[in-house]
Amino acid sequence: MIQPFQYIQLLWLLLLIPILAGIYIYAKGKKNAAFKRMGDPELVKELTSNYKPSSFPKKFFLTLAAMALILLSIANLRTESGSEQIQRNGIDVMIAIDVSNSMLAQDIQPNRLERAKQLLNRLIDKMGDNRVGLVVFAGKAYLQMPLTADHSAAKMYLSAATPQTVPTQGTMLGDALKMCYASFNSKEKKYKAVVLISDGEDHDEDAVKIAGQMAEEGVVINTVGIGSPEGSTITDPATNQLKKDEQGNTVITKLNQDALASIATEGNGVYMHYTNTEAVVTELYSQLSTLDRRSVTDNSLRNYKSLFQYLLGAALFFLLLELFISEIKKMPRRKLKAAAVLLFICFGFSASAQTDKEAIKQGNDAYKKSDYEAAIQSYDLAVKNNAANATAQYNLGNALYRKDKKEEALAAYDNAESASVKAADKSRALYNKGVVQQSDKKQEECILTYKNALKLDPNNASARHNLQIALKKQKEEQDKKDKEDKGGGGGGGDDKPKPQPSNLSKKDAEQKLEALMQKEKELQDKLHKSNSGSPSKPAKDW
């Protein structure tokens, strides 16, 4: 059941109505007392013969009713648009994509990760009534997007998946499966599937066991192996050099087909080795099509019809009536003119509000069809009619970003943040602004934006996650800069630091060395115990 008011917390403002009523009763009492103090009642009646006592309460109650209607319109009275509800006959599909550094190997051009994204984009296009969610994983798994019928949003989140999305490197398939399972409705025993795409390297022992447990809960797991069994080198994006292990050997990353096939077998699904995008997409979709489907009403794309303009129209009508009610027997001509102007504004506002709504709806329809240029034109029309329309500004920013018009998108998100009333809406606009800045490699700006988004809404998990990534990237860049500064400070061999003579005796030096070795042993023992209790910690960074 939906709330009839979008901003229900603003209904507290209705407490102003009884306060104003109390002021009216007090003022009326003061007015009657003033008449009594003026002198002889007959004389006062004669002097005020041109005054209408009944007009004062009428004018007040009309003003009070107008005030109440204005307050209700601010809270945005709305009704659910029934035609916008979507009857789905489908399943829930969680997509888990490996974003570890090994996915940058170029044994499949341009690299494994980009080819995996291309495959998943084509699969999402075929999803129809199925809901889709996205998990990215490397040394740890993260829910990038919960289950939704908004396939355009899924593709947008997928495009942003990179190795920098996950701070810890490695390939933990078990964590990815757990995260997918946690995203499903635990009360259902079917209608659920996982599509996991990875090179399968650094396979953890728990993954197959977890797949079997998920299968018992009705989850079907299909896996796609991407890469070559012969393996390939990895180019480190930070140094543009070949990736090396701790011993200085060049890393060769190989496709682990056995691990991925075992997971698919335990998960009652199929394993596919990537060879051709269309062939794998067709086989995956055919496999998903064999699953039982359920018919449900999907409200994830629910739209609402706002009624605030009708309340404002009624409020303006009451104010217009109030102008026509005079406390003297002949109404001044200036009030008649003011009433005519107010009536014109009333009709003009109503027409403008209707135009805004229609333009936004047209923009939403175009956006769903990926016609972003048409969406921009419709949203822009709504903004021109009403620059304070936060929804139009926010949607305009999204469409501009999809057309890679980043500076214009940033301005639109700023406008959306300023026009929004709720802190959560402001935070959402700032989060999208941060995404644009982050994609444009503006690290300091996006960090500040994400922090501001979290100040407004501490529960904004997406902003917190992206802030962590941005801070990690900033630290890496600073460390790299510091290293370059230290390495490039001198001009010749004479500037190299020279060893200083030690003031320690041989015996003192041996004692200090022995103490250091003991501390090192204690530290290694502590780390060993910690690692033995955390089997999910990856042993490599690719």
Side-chain angles (χ1 to χ4, degrees):
M1 183 176 179
I2 66 166
Q3 292 179 350
F5 292 94
Q6 183 177 0
Y7 308 115
I8 194 169
Q9 69 274 15
L10 295 180
L11 292 178
W12 286 100
L13 293 174
L14 289 174
L15 292 175
L16 291 172
I17 301 302
I19 294 174
L20 291 174
I23 294 174
Y24 162 74
I25 294 172
Y26 175 76
K28 186 170 178 60
K30 294 283 288 185
K31 196 172 187 179
N32 292 336
F35 275 124
K36 291 179 180 179
R37 287 197 303 268
M38 288 178 67
D40 181 62
E42 292 297 326
L43 179 60
V44 172
K45 183 178 180 181
E46 183 66 27
L47 291 173
T48 59
S49 60
N50 202 37
Y51 170 72
K52 297 180 181 178
S54 62
S55 296
F56 183 66
K58 290 178 182 178
K59 290 170 68 68
F60 173 77
F61 285 118
L62 283 173
T63 304
L64 201 65
M67 174 72 73
L69 289 169
I70 290 172
L71 293 176
L72 290 174
S73 69
I74 292 174
N76 192 23
L77 179 65
R78 62 182 182 175
T79 181
E80 184 179 346
S81 180
S83 60
E84 294 296 324
Q85 286 190 351
I86 299 174
Q87 289 290 333
R88 291 197 308 108
N89 186 32
I91 60 175
D92 290 339
V93 181
M94 286 301 300
I95 294 172
I97 180 172
D98 186 350
V99 293
S100 59
N101 283 328
S102 62
M103 292 290 285
L104 299 178
Q106 298 178 1
D107 46 0
I108 296 178
Q109 293 295 323
N111 60 49
R112 297 174 184 175
L113 182 58
E114 290 303 317
R115 192 61 71 180
K117 288 183 183 181
Q118 182 190 67
L119 185 155
L120 293 175
N121 267 305
R122 292 288 298 116
L123 181 63
I124 291 171
D125 287 337
K126 288 178 170 285
M127 279 296 159
D129 288 340
N130 299 328
R131 290 199 305 173
V132 179
L134 181 64
V135 167
V136 296
F137 69 96
K140 192 173 182 181
Y142 294 90
L143 179 63
Q144 194 77 343
M145 187 191 73
L147 286 163
T148 178
D150 188 349
H151 296 164
S152 296
K155 294 173 73 173
M156 183 171 71
Y157 277 104
L158 178 63
S159 66
T162 65
Q164 288 73 39
T165 308
V166 179
T168 308
Q169 282 300 309
T171 308
M172 302 303 293
L173 303 175
D175 273 5
L177 293 175
K178 287 179 183 178
M179 185 62 69
C180 289
Y181 179 70
S183 303
F184 289 122
N185 183 351
S186 59
K187 296 181 180 179
E188 294 178 338
K189 294 291 184 180
K190 51 184 178 177
Y191 319 121
K192 299 179 286 190
V194 171
V195 174
L196 186 148
I197 184 165
S198 170
D199 53 25
E201 193 172 37
D202 195 31
H203 166 54
D204 57 295
E205 296 293 334
D206 290 339
V208 176
K209 181 181 178 182
I210 294 169
Q213 293 171 346
M214 291 173 64
E216 292 176 0
E217 295 296 321
V219 182
V220 176
I221 303 172
N222 299 295
T223 59
V224 178
I226 189 161
S228 60
E230 299 79 21
S232 172
T233 57
I234 310 169
T235 300
D236 191 332
T239 62
N240 206 29
Q241 302 292 323
L242 292 181
K243 185 75 176 176
K244 297 184 182 296
D245 60 20
E246 294 180 351
Q247 288 73 40
N249 302 316
T250 300
V251 171
I252 302 295
T253 171
K254 299 179 181 180
L255 170 64
N256 188 346
Q257 296 196 78
D258 292 339
L260 294 170
S262 298
I263 291 172
T265 300
E266 286 294 315
N268 294 331
V270 295
Y271 166 71
M272 287 152 275
H273 179 208
Y274 177 86
T275 53
N276 175 271
T277 297
E278 290 303 322
V280 175
V281 168
T282 300
E283 188 175 353
L284 269 175
Y285 183 70
S286 299
Q287 176 69 9
L288 294 173
S289 299
T290 63
L291 302 180
D292 290 339
R293 296 167 181 268
R294 73 191 187 290
S295 180
V296 296
T297 300
D298 192 341
N299 294 324
S300 62
L301 294 177
R302 179 184 295 177
N303 290 318
Y304 302 95
K305 179 181 179 181
S306 293
L307 304 177
F308 73 91
Q309 63 267 29
Y310 302 111
L311 295 176
L312 282 178
L316 290 171
F317 178 72
F318 286 156
L319 291 174
L320 180 64
L321 284 180
E322 189 273 338
L323 284 174
F324 276 104
I325 298 175
S326 176
E327 292 186 73
I328 56 177
K329 292 183 178 179
K330 186 177 181 181
M331 185 175 182
R333 186 173 298 177
R334 60 183 178 82
K335 286 198 174 185
L336 287 172
K337 290 182 178 179
V341 171
L342 190 58
L343 185 63
F344 175 79
I345 293 173
C346 175
F347 284 112
F349 178 84
S350 179
S352 173
Q354 190 67 18
T355 303
D356 293 352
K357 179 184 174 184
E358 291 173 354
I360 292 173
K361 188 177 185 303
Q362 290 173 359
N364 292 345
D365 292 340
Y367 191 93
K368 291 175 185 177
K369 297 175 183 176
S370 299
D371 188 356
Y372 303 118
E373 197 61 51
I376 290 172
Q377 293 177 4
S378 297
Y379 295 141
D380 195 47
L381 177 61
V383 168
K384 287 178 180 176
N385 287 329
N386 182 11
N389 191 318
T391 301
Q393 294 281 13
Y394 181 82
N395 290 1
L396 176 61
N398 292 343
L400 288 167
Y401 177 59
R402 298 294 298 203
K403 291 295 291 182
D404 203 32
K405 298 180 179 180
K406 296 180 180 178
E407 292 301 322
E408 296 176 53
L410 291 173
Y413 289 136
D414 282 336
N415 293 333
E417 189 267 333
S418 299
S420 296
V421 177
K422 295 178 68 176
D425 293 335
K426 289 177 176 287
S427 177
R428 210 157 51 101
L430 286 175
Y431 167 72
N432 279 20
K433 178 182 176 182
V435 171
V436 177
Q437 292 170 329
Q438 197 167 15
S439 68
D440 209 20
K441 301 189 185 323
K442 297 179 179 179
Q443 293 297 330
E444 292 185 4
E445 290 90 337
C446 77
I447 288 171
L448 179 61
T449 302
Y450 288 141
K451 286 181 178 179
N452 289 334
L454 286 170
K455 287 178 182 177
L456 289 167
D457 182 11
N459 295 322
N460 192 330
S462 298
R464 185 180 297 105
H465 176 60
N466 280 19
L467 175 60
Q468 291 172 350
I469 294 171
L471 289 171
K472 182 174 182 292
K473 182 69 175 175
Q474 185 187 53
K475 185 177 184 303
E476 290 174 350
E477 291 176 353
Q478 186 61 46
D479 290 344
K480 182 180 178 183
K481 182 180 178 183
D482 292 343
K483 187 176 180 182
E484 290 174 350
D485 291 343
K486 290 178 180 178
D494 292 339
D495 293 329
K496 293 182 180 179
K498 298 177 182 179
Q500 298 296 320
S502 174
N503 294 323
L504 294 174
S505 66
K506 182 179 179 181
K507 183 179 179 180
D508 291 338
E510 288 176 351
Q511 289 177 345
K512 287 185 176 291
L513 179 60
E514 184 178 352
L516 286 172
M517 290 177 67
Q518 180 62 29
K519 286 185 178 180
E520 176 67 16
K521 183 178 182 302
E522 292 172 358
L523 178 60
Q524 291 297 332
D525 291 342
K526 184 177 179 181
L527 288 173
H528 178 72
K529 290 178 181 179
S530 175
N531 290 337
S532 64
S534 305
S536 62
K537 185 177 180 180
K540 66 182 185 62
D541 65 343
W542 66 86

